[in-house]
């Protein structure tokens, strides 16, 4: 009788980032005793945000990047826009924690290093998947069908949106379902001008508010945005959603959460007799002390690659190819979004209008290509969206101007013309050959270093090419006096796999246990008390930013798991 | 701007990075609340000799002079330049800078009979203009070639101009007295009136 066993915890959650925080909140609020394990160091909300609100003149080199140091210690992370000395504390040191980087086809694996994980650093863009996204695999035959549809997830999207706080504007588009929105952030005058022109000259394009997990209205314990600008330095007012500001405090308030930082998971111990995971084995990253904890169930929320790494390390007689890997799909079907500027235009409209405050997002152009029933003759599958940026040129975009003296000073101190940029985010097809695996190299804890084998396919290239062509059309319709577009697009010039930091797949879900690692509840087909709810479960990628979907599936899986546990089914 | 730079540029723009987010090396102790750290230009440095320091100061003053508002010298830019040349430049970049300074130290007295710092302001400006026109082919001047760490083979005049302009508009004096500074706006207004003489906000591209 399992009931008679004394467990250390009801549930162990691995990871304290965007999904780990959600699992901790949902499970503790249902009365379960939960242990949250985080490999990164401890960090206090607010107090730990050392770079917050630091003016430019306080920072060494006034923000110029110390190139050698960064190349040595953070060769991948330092390429991310959010990386700086004001945020460096949140990123994992890559020299101390290496993975195998293929020189020919590098994969950019970006990892967090604190309690809260990458939820402190994320781009905060949150979009619902549509029924079209959930049916994409089924429709074109790439990947396996999703075991769920939009209606299964919609209530969980609402559940998550209400708690995290999302500002946005309802548009009634079938390809981008509306959510529970706080009032949208205001637009710039030029953006209204562009929208007006597009309505006339490119009516197939919707320009709308980005949907962003930044508050425009107060929520309990969190304040509306104060528009200081660089969210990723940390926000002591909790104005953007992070597990630090939101889910972890909620979990802590129940009194049911134990959180251990500096704790790296080595393996899950499978018990062949019960057919379940019995315990989790960890190493303290500071003291190297090893420990194990038993629990009734285990949630992997360590992030896409890291959770699969744990499963791959957890081999046993029953699972020689990795825990819960009877399908052989584990590690495969790795995906990411390609990103980059598809086009940028120069505008001399609304020159007497400026802005006040730093809006922490641009606008958004929802997918408009390959919608069901349209664009039948395109030579690519799936689609893309654009995130936009609007800014005035200033000294930072023109300090390399010729001339000297008062004239130079005067021209550099004033705003120049407007720039409006369209950054395409394209969908990636699930392909078996795109994968992560464990190499023979070991890290400082004696654990295998992860290696990657991932390349963009023709479809991703064609999507980017189309995104660039369409961007030029849109910018011209918008009235740009000069446009510059992404050119000579090939896998070599595109963003690196992983650079989108939307890595997903590697433990995909599906109804068929012979093809999928997880069932429709994020539960391992092969091991009933194992759940994986970070991006690993993704069976296809859509083109929208994925975090909201991870959170919704996590909350849903927690609800299911707690119910099953109460019913004695786990 | 090459393809990858172009893309990085887009990522920066789209995601709203500011000057102060592009990176700098700080120890854990120093980074304890960056906002309460001393200003960067108060970091100790002694790389230039007195003559070199005087030339650098004069050049910074030509590039961004004091007029109705403070100039580069008021903002401590010469100190910023010395720190960057000493602590941030690569060996090759430092060699280019040192040679450029040396050239002004030796050539100017020979040609004009007086050291650079004793020349009239407009004579100094003419010398810098000549350097700039000689450097005109450098990729440093390409439109949009601004979102990168540094151009390692940029000529001396480009190096010192970049450091002067960057150092000035990110300095406390430049950001608060020449640009407009409001670190805690509390609201966003997307249609805020702009008069022809108004300065930009300090703090970078969008943040």
């Amino acid at each position: 009788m399992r009931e008679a066993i004394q467990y250390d915890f009801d549930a162990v959650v691995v990871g304290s980032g965007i999904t780990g925080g959600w699992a901790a909140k949902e499970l503790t609020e249902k009365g379960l005793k939960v242990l949250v394990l985080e490999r990164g160091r401890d960090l206090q909300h607010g107090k730990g945000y050392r770079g917050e609100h630091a003016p430019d003149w306080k920072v060494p080199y006034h923000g110029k990047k110390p190139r050698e140091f960064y190349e040595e210690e953070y060769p991948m992370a330092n390429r991310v826009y959010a990386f700086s000395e004001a945020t460096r504390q949140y990123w994992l040191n890559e020299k101390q924690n290496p993975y195998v980087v293929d020189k020919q086809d590098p994969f950019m694996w970006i990892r967090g290093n604190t309690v809260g994980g990458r939820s402190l650093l994320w781009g905060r863009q949150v979009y619902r998947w549509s029924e079209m996204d959930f049916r994409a695999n089924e429709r074109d035959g790439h990947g396996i069908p999703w075991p769920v549809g939009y209606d299964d997830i919609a209530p969980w999207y609402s559940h998550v949106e209400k708690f995290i706080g999302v500002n946005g504007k309802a548009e009634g588009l079938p390809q981008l379902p509306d959510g529970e929105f706080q009032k949208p952030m205001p637009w710039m005058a030029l953006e209204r001008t562009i929208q007006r022109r597009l309505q006339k000259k490119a009516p197939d394009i919707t320009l709308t508010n980005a949907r962003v997990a930044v508050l425009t209205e107060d929520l309990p314990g969190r304040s509306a945005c104060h528009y200081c600008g660089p969210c990723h330095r940390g926000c002591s007012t909790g104005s953007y959603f992070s597990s630090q500001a939101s889910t972890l405090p909620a979990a802590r308030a129940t009194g049911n959460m134990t959180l251990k930082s500096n704790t790296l998971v080595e393996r899950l111990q499978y018990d062949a007799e019960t057919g379940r995971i019995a315990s989790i084995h960890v190493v303290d990253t500071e003291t190297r002390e090893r420990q194990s904890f038993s629990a009734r169930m285990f949630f992997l929320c360590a992030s896409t690659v890291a959770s699969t790494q744990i499963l791959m390390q957890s081999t046993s007689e029953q699972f020689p190819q990795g825990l819960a890997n009877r399908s052989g799909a584990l590690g495969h079907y790795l995906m990411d979004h390609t990103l980059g500027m598809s086009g940028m235009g120069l505008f001399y409209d609304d020159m007497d209008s400026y802005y006040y405050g730093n809006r922490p997002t641009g606008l958004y152009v929802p997918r408009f290509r390959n919608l069901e029933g349209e664009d039948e003759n395109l030579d690519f599958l799936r689609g893309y969206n654009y995130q936009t940026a609007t800014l005035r040129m200033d000294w930072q975009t023109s300090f390399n101007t010729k001339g000297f003296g008062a004239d130079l000073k005067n021209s550099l101190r004033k705003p120049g013309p407007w720039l409006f940029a369209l950054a395409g985010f394209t969908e990636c097809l699930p392909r078996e050959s795109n994968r992560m695996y464990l190499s023979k190299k070991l890290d400082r804890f004696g654990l295998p270093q992860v290696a990657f084998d991932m390349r963009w396919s023709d479809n991703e290239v064609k999507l980017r090419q189309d995104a660039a062509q369409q961007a030029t059309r849109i910018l011209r319709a918008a009235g740009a006096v000069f446009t510059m577009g992404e050119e000579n697009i090939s896998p070599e010039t595109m963003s690196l796999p992983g650079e989108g930091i939307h890595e997903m797949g590697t433990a995909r879900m599906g109804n068929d246990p012979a093809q999928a690692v997880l069932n429709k509840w994020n539960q391992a087909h092969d091991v009933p008390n194992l759940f994986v709810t970070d991006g690993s479960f993704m069976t296809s990628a859509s083109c929208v930013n994925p975090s909201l979907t991870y959170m919704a599936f996590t909350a849903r899986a927690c609800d299911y798991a707690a119910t099953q546990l109460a019913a004695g089914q786990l | 701007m090459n393809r990858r730079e172009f893309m990085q540029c887009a990522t920066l723009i789209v995601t709203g990075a500011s000057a102060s987010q592009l990176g700098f090396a700080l120890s854990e102790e120093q980074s304890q609340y960056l906002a309460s750290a001393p200003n960067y230009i108060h970091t100790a440095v002694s790389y230039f000799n007195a003559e070199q320091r005087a030339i650098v100061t004069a050049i910074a003053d030509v590039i961004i002079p004091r007029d109705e508002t403070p100039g580069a010298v008021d903002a401590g830019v010469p100190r910023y330049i010395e720190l960057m040349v000493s602590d941030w430049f690569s060996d090759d970049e430092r060699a280019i800078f040192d040679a450029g300074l040396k050239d002004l130290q030796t050539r100017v007295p020979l040609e004009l009979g007086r050291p650079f710092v004793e020349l009239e302001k407009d004579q100094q400006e003419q010398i810098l203009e000549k350097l700039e026109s000689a450097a005109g082919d450098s990729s440093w001047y390409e439109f949009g070639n601004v979102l990168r760490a540094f151009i390692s083979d940029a000529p001396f005049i480009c190096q010192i101009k970049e450091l002067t302009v960057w150092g000035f508009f990110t300095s406390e004096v430049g950001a608060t007295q020449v640009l407009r500074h409001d670190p805690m706006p509390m609201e966003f207004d997307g249609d805020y009136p702009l008069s022809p003489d108004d300065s930009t906000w300090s703090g970078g591209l969008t943040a």
Side-chain angles (χ1 to χ4, degrees), chain A residues 125 127 176 198 202 204-211 338-344 361-369 380 383-389 420-427 462-475 485-486 489 543-545, chain B residues 14:
Chain A
Q125 302 277 321
Y127 302 97
L176 193 75
L198 293 181
D204 58 321
I205 301 299
T206 304
L207 182 63
T208 185
N209 277 79
R211 297 171 180 178
T338 79
L339 83 175
M341 182 161 59
S342 299
M344 184 163 78
T361 180
L363 302 181
Y364 191 75
V365 176
R367 176 169 160 184
F368 58 98
R369 297 292 259 172
F380 54 84
Y384 55 86
N385 63 72
Y386 300 111
Q387 288 180 33
T388 79
F420 179 74
L422 293 165
F425 285 69
T426 73
E427 180 162 357
K462 284 178 181 165
L463 281 165
R464 276 228 79 77
Q465 288 168 341
D466 192 68
Q469 283 163 15
Q470 293 294 317
T472 301
R473 172 179 73 97
I474 292 167
L475 290 166
E486 189 176 349
I489 295 166
C543 65
V544 303
N545 306 54
Chain B
V14 166

Coordinates of all heavy atoms in Angstrom, one line a residue, chain A residues 125 127 176 198 202 204-211 338-344 361-369 380 383-389 420-427 462-475 485-486 489 543-545, chain B residues 14:
Chain A
Q125 N 5.9 38.9 -23.7 CA 4.9 38.9 -24.7 C 4.0 37.6 -24.5 O 4.6 36.5 -24.4 CB 5.5 38.9 -26.1 CG 6.4 40.0 -26.4 CD 5.7 41.3 -26.8 OE1 4.7 41.2 -27.6 NE2 6.1 42.4 -26.3
Y127 N 0.7 35.5 -25.9 CA -0.4 35.3 -26.9 C -1.0 33.9 -26.8 O -0.3 32.9 -26.6 CB 0.2 35.5 -28.3 CG 0.9 36.8 -28.5 CD1 2.2 37.0 -28.3 CD2 0.1 37.9 -28.7 CE1 2.8 38.3 -28.4 CE2 0.6 39.2 -28.8 CZ 2.0 39.4 -28.6 OH 2.5 40.6 -28.7
L176 N -5.8 34.6 -33.5 CA -5.2 35.1 -32.2 C -6.3 35.4 -31.2 O -6.7 36.6 -31.0 CB -4.4 36.4 -32.5 CG -3.4 36.8 -31.4 CD1 -2.2 35.8 -31.4 CD2 -2.9 38.2 -31.6
L198 N -2.4 51.8 -43.1 CA -2.5 50.4 -43.4 C -4.0 50.0 -43.6 O -4.3 49.1 -44.5 CB -1.9 49.6 -42.3 CG -0.4 49.7 -42.1 CD1 0.1 48.8 -40.9 CD2 0.4 49.3 -43.4
A202 N -3.3 48.5 -46.9 CA -2.9 47.1 -46.6 C -3.9 46.5 -45.6 O -3.6 46.2 -44.5 CB -1.5 47.0 -46.1
D204 N -5.3 43.8 -45.1 CA -5.2 42.5 -44.6 C -4.3 42.5 -43.3 O -4.2 41.5 -42.6 CB -4.5 41.6 -45.6 CG -3.2 42.1 -46.1 OD1 -3.0 43.3 -46.3 OD2 -2.3 41.2 -46.3
I205 N -3.7 43.6 -43.0 CA -2.8 43.7 -41.9 C -3.5 44.3 -40.7 O -4.1 45.4 -40.8 CB -1.5 44.6 -42.2 CG1 -0.8 44.0 -43.4 CG2 -0.6 44.7 -41.0 CD1 -0.2 42.6 -43.3
T206 N -3.4 43.6 -39.5 CA -3.9 44.2 -38.3 C -2.7 44.7 -37.5 O -1.8 43.9 -37.2 CB -4.7 43.2 -37.5 OG1 -5.7 42.6 -38.3 CG2 -5.3 43.8 -36.2
L207 N -2.7 46.0 -37.1 CA -1.7 46.5 -36.2 C -2.4 46.7 -34.9 O -3.4 47.4 -34.8 CB -1.2 47.8 -36.7 CG 0.0 48.5 -35.9 CD1 1.2 47.6 -35.9 CD2 0.3 49.8 -36.5
T208 N -2.0 45.9 -33.9 CA -2.7 46.0 -32.6 C -1.6 46.1 -31.4 O -0.4 46.1 -31.7 CB -3.5 44.8 -32.4 OG1 -4.3 44.9 -31.1 CG2 -2.7 43.5 -32.3
N209 N -2.2 46.3 -30.2 CA -1.3 46.3 -29.1 C -0.6 45.0 -28.9 O -1.3 43.9 -29.1 CB -2.1 46.6 -27.8 CG -2.3 48.1 -27.6 OD1 -3.2 48.7 -28.2 ND2 -1.5 48.7 -26.7
A210 N 0.7 45.0 -28.6 CA 1.3 43.8 -28.1 C 0.5 43.4 -26.9 O 0.0 44.2 -26.1 CB 2.7 44.0 -27.8
R211 N 0.4 42.1 -26.6 CA -0.2 41.6 -25.4 C 0.9 41.2 -24.5 O 1.7 40.3 -24.7 CB -1.1 40.4 -25.7 CG -2.2 40.9 -26.7 CD -3.1 39.8 -27.3 NE -4.1 40.4 -28.1 CZ -5.0 39.7 -28.8 NH1 -5.0 38.4 -28.8 NH2 -5.9 40.4 -29.5
T338 N 12.6 31.5 -35.3 CA 13.6 32.4 -35.8 C 13.1 33.8 -35.6 O 11.9 34.1 -35.6 CB 13.9 32.2 -37.4 OG1 12.8 32.9 -38.1 CG2 13.9 30.7 -37.8
L339 N 14.1 34.7 -35.3 CA 13.7 36.1 -35.1 C 14.7 37.0 -35.7 O 15.8 36.6 -36.1 CB 13.5 36.4 -33.6 CG 14.7 36.7 -32.8 CD1 14.2 37.1 -31.4 CD2 15.7 35.6 -32.7
G340 N 14.4 38.2 -35.8 CA 15.3 39.2 -36.4 C 14.4 40.3 -37.1 O 13.2 40.1 -37.3
M341 N 15.1 41.4 -37.5 CA 14.4 42.5 -38.1 C 14.1 42.1 -39.6 O 15.0 42.0 -40.4 CB 15.2 43.8 -38.0 CG 14.4 44.9 -38.6 SD 15.0 46.5 -38.1 CE 16.7 46.4 -38.6
S342 N 12.8 42.0 -39.9 CA 12.4 41.8 -41.3 C 12.5 43.0 -42.1 O 12.8 43.0 -43.3 CB 11.0 41.2 -41.3 OG 11.0 40.0 -40.6
G343 N 12.2 44.2 -41.5 CA 12.3 45.4 -42.2 C 12.2 46.6 -41.3 O 11.6 46.5 -40.2
M344 N 12.7 47.7 -41.7 CA 12.7 48.9 -40.9 C 12.5 50.1 -41.8 O 13.0 50.1 -42.9 CB 14.1 49.1 -40.2 CG 14.1 50.2 -39.2 SD 15.6 50.0 -38.1 CE 16.9 50.5 -39.2
T361 N 7.2 47.8 -24.5 CA 6.8 46.9 -25.6 C 6.6 47.8 -26.8 O 6.3 49.0 -26.7 CB 5.6 46.1 -25.2 OG1 5.2 45.3 -26.3 CG2 4.4 47.1 -24.9
G362 N 6.6 47.1 -27.9 CA 6.2 47.7 -29.2 C 4.7 47.3 -29.4 O 4.0 47.0 -28.5
L363 N 4.3 47.3 -30.7 CA 3.0 46.9 -31.1 C 3.1 45.5 -31.7 O 4.2 44.9 -31.7 CB 2.3 47.9 -32.1 CG 2.2 49.3 -31.6 CD1 1.5 50.1 -32.6 CD2 1.4 49.4 -30.3
Y364 N 2.1 45.0 -32.3 CA 2.1 43.6 -32.8 C 1.3 43.5 -34.1 O 0.2 44.1 -34.2 CB 1.5 42.8 -31.7 CG 1.6 41.3 -31.9 CD1 2.8 40.6 -31.7 CD2 0.5 40.5 -32.3 CE1 3.0 39.2 -31.9 CE2 0.6 39.1 -32.5 CZ 1.9 38.5 -32.3 OH 2.0 37.1 -32.4
V365 N 1.8 42.7 -35.0 CA 1.0 42.4 -36.2 C 0.8 40.9 -36.2 O 1.7 40.1 -36.3 CB 1.8 42.7 -37.5 CG1 1.0 42.2 -38.7 CG2 2.1 44.2 -37.6
P366 N -0.5 40.4 -35.9 CA -0.7 39.0 -35.8 C -0.5 38.3 -37.2 O -0.5 39.0 -38.2 CB -2.2 39.0 -35.4 CG -2.6 40.3 -34.9 CD -1.6 41.3 -35.6
R367 N -0.3 37.0 -37.1 CA -0.2 36.3 -38.3 C -1.3 36.6 -39.4 O -2.4 36.7 -39.0 CB -0.2 34.8 -38.0 CG -0.1 33.8 -39.2 CD 0.1 32.4 -38.7 NE -0.3 31.5 -39.8 CZ -0.3 30.2 -39.7 NH1 0.0 29.6 -38.5 NH2 -0.7 29.4 -40.7
F368 N -0.8 36.8 -40.6 CA -1.8 37.1 -41.7 C -1.6 36.2 -42.9 O -2.2 36.4 -43.9 CB -1.7 38.6 -42.1 CG -0.3 39.0 -42.5 CD1 0.0 39.1 -43.8 CD2 0.7 39.3 -41.6 CE1 1.3 39.5 -44.3 CE2 2.0 39.7 -42.0 CZ 2.3 39.7 -43.3
R369 N -0.6 35.3 -42.8 CA -0.3 34.4 -44.0 C -0.7 33.0 -43.7 O -0.7 32.6 -42.5 CB 1.2 34.4 -44.3 CG 1.7 35.8 -44.7 CD 1.2 36.2 -46.0 NE 2.2 36.0 -47.1 CZ 2.0 36.1 -48.4 NH1 0.7 36.5 -48.8 NH2 2.9 36.0 -49.2
F380 N 5.2 27.8 -48.7 CA 5.7 27.4 -47.4 C 4.5 27.1 -46.5 O 3.3 27.5 -46.8 CB 6.5 28.5 -46.7 CG 5.8 29.9 -46.7 CD1 4.9 30.2 -45.7 CD2 6.0 30.8 -47.7 CE1 4.2 31.4 -45.6 CE2 5.3 32.0 -47.7 CZ 4.4 32.3 -46.6
G383 N 3.2 30.0 -40.5 CA 3.2 31.5 -40.6 C 4.2 32.2 -39.6 O 5.1 31.6 -39.1
Y384 N 3.9 33.5 -39.5 CA 4.8 34.3 -38.7 C 4.0 35.5 -38.2 O 2.9 35.8 -38.7 CB 6.1 34.7 -39.5 CG 5.8 35.4 -40.8 CD1 5.5 36.8 -40.8 CD2 5.7 34.7 -42.0 CE1 5.2 37.4 -42.0 CE2 5.4 35.3 -43.2 CZ 5.2 36.7 -43.2 OH 4.9 37.3 -44.3
N385 N 4.6 36.2 -37.3 CA 4.0 37.5 -36.8 C 5.1 38.5 -36.7 O 6.3 38.1 -36.9 CB 3.3 37.3 -35.4 CG 4.4 36.9 -34.4 OD1 5.2 37.7 -34.0 ND2 4.4 35.7 -33.9
Y386 N 4.8 39.7 -36.5 CA 5.8 40.7 -36.3 C 5.6 41.4 -34.9 O 4.5 41.8 -34.6 CB 5.7 41.9 -37.3 CG 5.9 41.5 -38.8 CD1 4.8 41.6 -39.6 CD2 7.1 41.2 -39.3 CE1 5.0 41.4 -41.0 CE2 7.3 40.9 -40.6 CZ 6.2 41.0 -41.5 OH 6.3 40.7 -42.8
Q387 N 6.7 41.6 -34.2 CA 6.7 42.5 -33.1 C 7.3 43.8 -33.7 O 8.2 43.7 -34.5 CB 7.5 42.0 -31.9 CG 6.9 40.9 -31.2 CD 7.7 40.4 -30.0 OE1 8.4 41.1 -29.4 NE2 7.6 39.1 -29.8
T388 N 6.7 44.9 -33.3 CA 7.2 46.2 -33.9 C 7.9 47.0 -32.8 O 7.8 46.8 -31.6 CB 6.0 47.0 -34.4 OG1 5.4 47.7 -33.3 CG2 5.0 46.2 -35.2
A389 N 8.7 48.0 -33.3 CA 9.4 48.9 -32.4 C 9.3 50.3 -33.1 O 9.4 50.4 -34.3 CB 10.8 48.5 -32.2
F420 N 10.5 52.9 -37.6 CA 9.5 51.9 -37.3 C 10.0 50.5 -37.8 O 10.3 50.4 -39.0 CB 8.2 52.3 -37.9 CG 7.0 51.3 -37.6 CD1 6.4 51.2 -36.3 CD2 6.6 50.5 -38.6 CE1 5.4 50.4 -36.1 CE2 5.5 49.6 -38.4 CZ 4.9 49.5 -37.1
A421 N 10.1 49.5 -36.9 CA 10.7 48.3 -37.3 C 9.7 47.1 -37.1 O 8.9 47.1 -36.2 CB 12.0 48.0 -36.5
L422 N 9.8 46.2 -38.1 CA 9.0 45.0 -38.0 C 9.9 43.8 -37.8 O 10.8 43.5 -38.6 CB 8.2 44.8 -39.3 CG 7.1 45.8 -39.6 CD1 6.7 45.7 -41.0 CD2 5.9 45.6 -38.7
A423 N 9.8 43.1 -36.6 CA 10.7 42.0 -36.3 C 9.8 40.7 -36.5 O 8.9 40.5 -35.7 CB 11.2 42.1 -34.9
G424 N 10.1 39.9 -37.5 CA 9.4 38.7 -37.7 C 9.8 37.6 -36.8 O 11.0 37.4 -36.5
F425 N 8.8 36.9 -36.3 CA 9.0 35.6 -35.5 C 8.3 34.5 -36.2 O 7.1 34.6 -36.4 CB 8.3 35.8 -34.1 CG 9.1 36.7 -33.1 CD1 9.2 38.0 -33.3 CD2 9.7 36.1 -32.1 CE1 9.9 38.8 -32.5 CE2 10.5 36.9 -31.2 CZ 10.5 38.3 -31.4
T426 N 9.1 33.6 -36.7 CA 8.5 32.5 -37.6 C 8.4 31.2 -36.9 O 9.2 30.9 -36.1 CB 9.3 32.4 -38.9 OG1 10.5 31.7 -38.6 CG2 9.7 33.7 -39.5
E427 N 7.4 30.5 -37.4 CA 7.2 29.1 -36.8 C 8.2 28.2 -37.3 O 8.8 28.4 -38.4 CB 5.8 28.6 -37.2 CG 5.5 27.2 -36.7 CD 4.0 26.9 -36.7 OE1 3.1 27.8 -37.0 OE2 3.6 25.7 -36.3
K462 N 12.0 29.9 -46.0 CA 11.0 30.5 -46.9 C 10.1 31.5 -46.0 O 9.6 32.5 -46.5 CB 10.1 29.5 -47.5 CG 10.9 28.8 -48.7 CD 10.1 27.7 -49.3 CE 10.8 27.1 -50.5 NZ 10.2 25.8 -50.9
L463 N 9.8 31.1 -44.8 CA 9.0 31.9 -43.9 C 9.7 33.3 -43.7 O 9.1 34.3 -43.8 CB 8.7 31.2 -42.6 CG 7.6 30.2 -42.6 CD1 7.7 29.3 -41.3 CD2 6.2 30.9 -42.6
R464 N 11.0 33.2 -43.4 CA 11.7 34.4 -43.2 C 11.8 35.3 -44.5 O 11.7 36.5 -44.4 CB 13.2 34.2 -42.8 CG 13.3 33.9 -41.3 CD 14.5 34.7 -40.6 NE 14.1 36.0 -40.3 CZ 13.3 36.4 -39.3 NH1 12.8 35.6 -38.5 NH2 13.1 37.7 -39.1
Q465 N 12.0 34.6 -45.6 CA 12.0 35.4 -46.9 C 10.7 36.1 -47.1 O 10.6 37.3 -47.4 CB 12.4 34.5 -48.0 CG 13.8 34.0 -48.0 CD 14.1 32.9 -48.9 OE1 13.2 32.2 -49.4 NE2 15.4 32.7 -49.2
D466 N 9.6 35.4 -46.8 CA 8.3 36.0 -47.0 C 8.1 37.1 -46.0 O 7.5 38.2 -46.4 CB 7.2 34.9 -46.9 CG 5.8 35.5 -47.4 OD1 5.7 35.7 -48.6 OD2 4.9 35.7 -46.5
A467 N 8.5 36.9 -44.8 CA 8.4 37.9 -43.8 C 9.1 39.2 -44.2 O 8.6 40.3 -43.9 CB 8.9 37.4 -42.4
A468 N 10.2 39.1 -44.8 CA 11.0 40.2 -45.2 C 10.3 41.0 -46.4 O 10.1 42.2 -46.4 CB 12.4 39.8 -45.7
Q469 N 9.8 40.2 -47.4 CA 9.1 40.8 -48.5 C 7.8 41.5 -48.0 O 7.5 42.6 -48.5 CB 8.7 39.7 -49.5 CG 9.8 39.2 -50.4 CD 9.6 37.9 -51.1 OE1 8.4 37.5 -51.1 NE2 10.6 37.3 -51.6
Q470 N 7.1 40.9 -47.2 CA 5.8 41.4 -46.7 C 6.1 42.7 -45.8 O 5.4 43.6 -45.8 CB 5.0 40.4 -45.9 CG 4.5 39.3 -46.8 CD 3.5 39.8 -47.8 OE1 2.6 40.6 -47.5 NE2 3.6 39.3 -49.0
A471 N 7.2 42.6 -45.1 CA 7.6 43.8 -44.3 C 7.8 45.0 -45.1 O 7.4 46.1 -44.8 CB 8.8 43.5 -43.4
T472 N 8.5 44.8 -46.3 CA 8.7 46.0 -47.2 C 7.4 46.5 -47.7 O 7.2 47.7 -47.8 CB 9.6 45.5 -48.3 OG1 10.9 45.1 -47.7 CG2 9.9 46.7 -49.3
R473 N 6.5 45.6 -48.1 CA 5.2 46.0 -48.6 C 4.5 46.8 -47.5 O 3.9 47.9 -47.7 CB 4.3 44.8 -48.9 CG 2.9 45.1 -49.2 CD 2.0 43.9 -49.6 NE 1.7 43.0 -48.5 CZ 0.5 43.0 -47.9 NH1 -0.4 43.9 -48.2 NH2 0.3 42.2 -46.9
I474 N 4.5 46.3 -46.2 CA 3.8 47.0 -45.1 C 4.4 48.4 -44.9 O 3.7 49.4 -44.7 CB 3.8 46.1 -43.9 CG1 3.0 44.9 -44.1 CG2 3.4 46.9 -42.7 CD1 3.2 43.8 -43.1
L475 N 5.7 48.4 -44.9 CA 6.4 49.7 -44.5 C 6.1 50.8 -45.6 O 5.9 51.9 -45.3 CB 7.9 49.5 -44.4 CG 8.3 48.7 -43.1 CD1 9.7 48.2 -43.2 CD2 8.0 49.6 -41.9
G485 N 15.4 46.2 -45.7 CA 14.8 44.9 -45.4 C 15.9 43.9 -45.2 O 17.0 44.0 -45.6
E486 N 15.5 42.8 -44.5 CA 16.4 41.6 -44.3 C 16.7 41.1 -45.7 O 15.7 40.8 -46.5 CB 15.7 40.6 -43.4 CG 16.6 39.5 -43.0 CD 15.9 38.6 -42.0 OE1 14.8 38.9 -41.5 OE2 16.4 37.5 -41.7
I489 N 18.6 36.0 -47.4 CA 18.3 35.2 -46.2 C 18.6 33.7 -46.5 O 18.3 33.1 -47.5 CB 16.8 35.3 -45.9 CG1 16.5 36.7 -45.5 CG2 16.3 34.3 -44.9 CD1 15.0 37.1 -45.5
C543 N 3.6 30.3 -34.1 CA 4.6 31.4 -34.3 C 4.5 32.4 -33.1 O 5.3 33.3 -33.1 CB 4.4 32.1 -35.6 SG 2.9 33.1 -35.7
V544 N 3.6 32.1 -32.2 CA 3.5 33.1 -31.1 C 4.4 32.8 -30.0 O 4.8 31.6 -29.8 CB 2.0 33.2 -30.6 CG1 1.1 33.6 -31.8 CG2 1.5 32.0 -29.9
N545 N 4.7 33.7 -29.2 CA 5.6 33.5 -28.0 C 4.9 32.5 -27.1 O 3.8 32.6 -26.8 CB 5.8 34.9 -27.3 CG 6.3 35.9 -28.2 OD1 5.7 36.2 -29.2 ND2 7.4 36.6 -27.9
Chain B
V14 N 13.7 46.3 -31.0 CA 12.4 45.7 -30.6 C 12.3 45.5 -29.2 O 11.2 45.6 -28.6 CB 12.2 44.4 -31.4 CG1 11.1 43.6 -30.9 CG2 12.0 44.7 -32.9

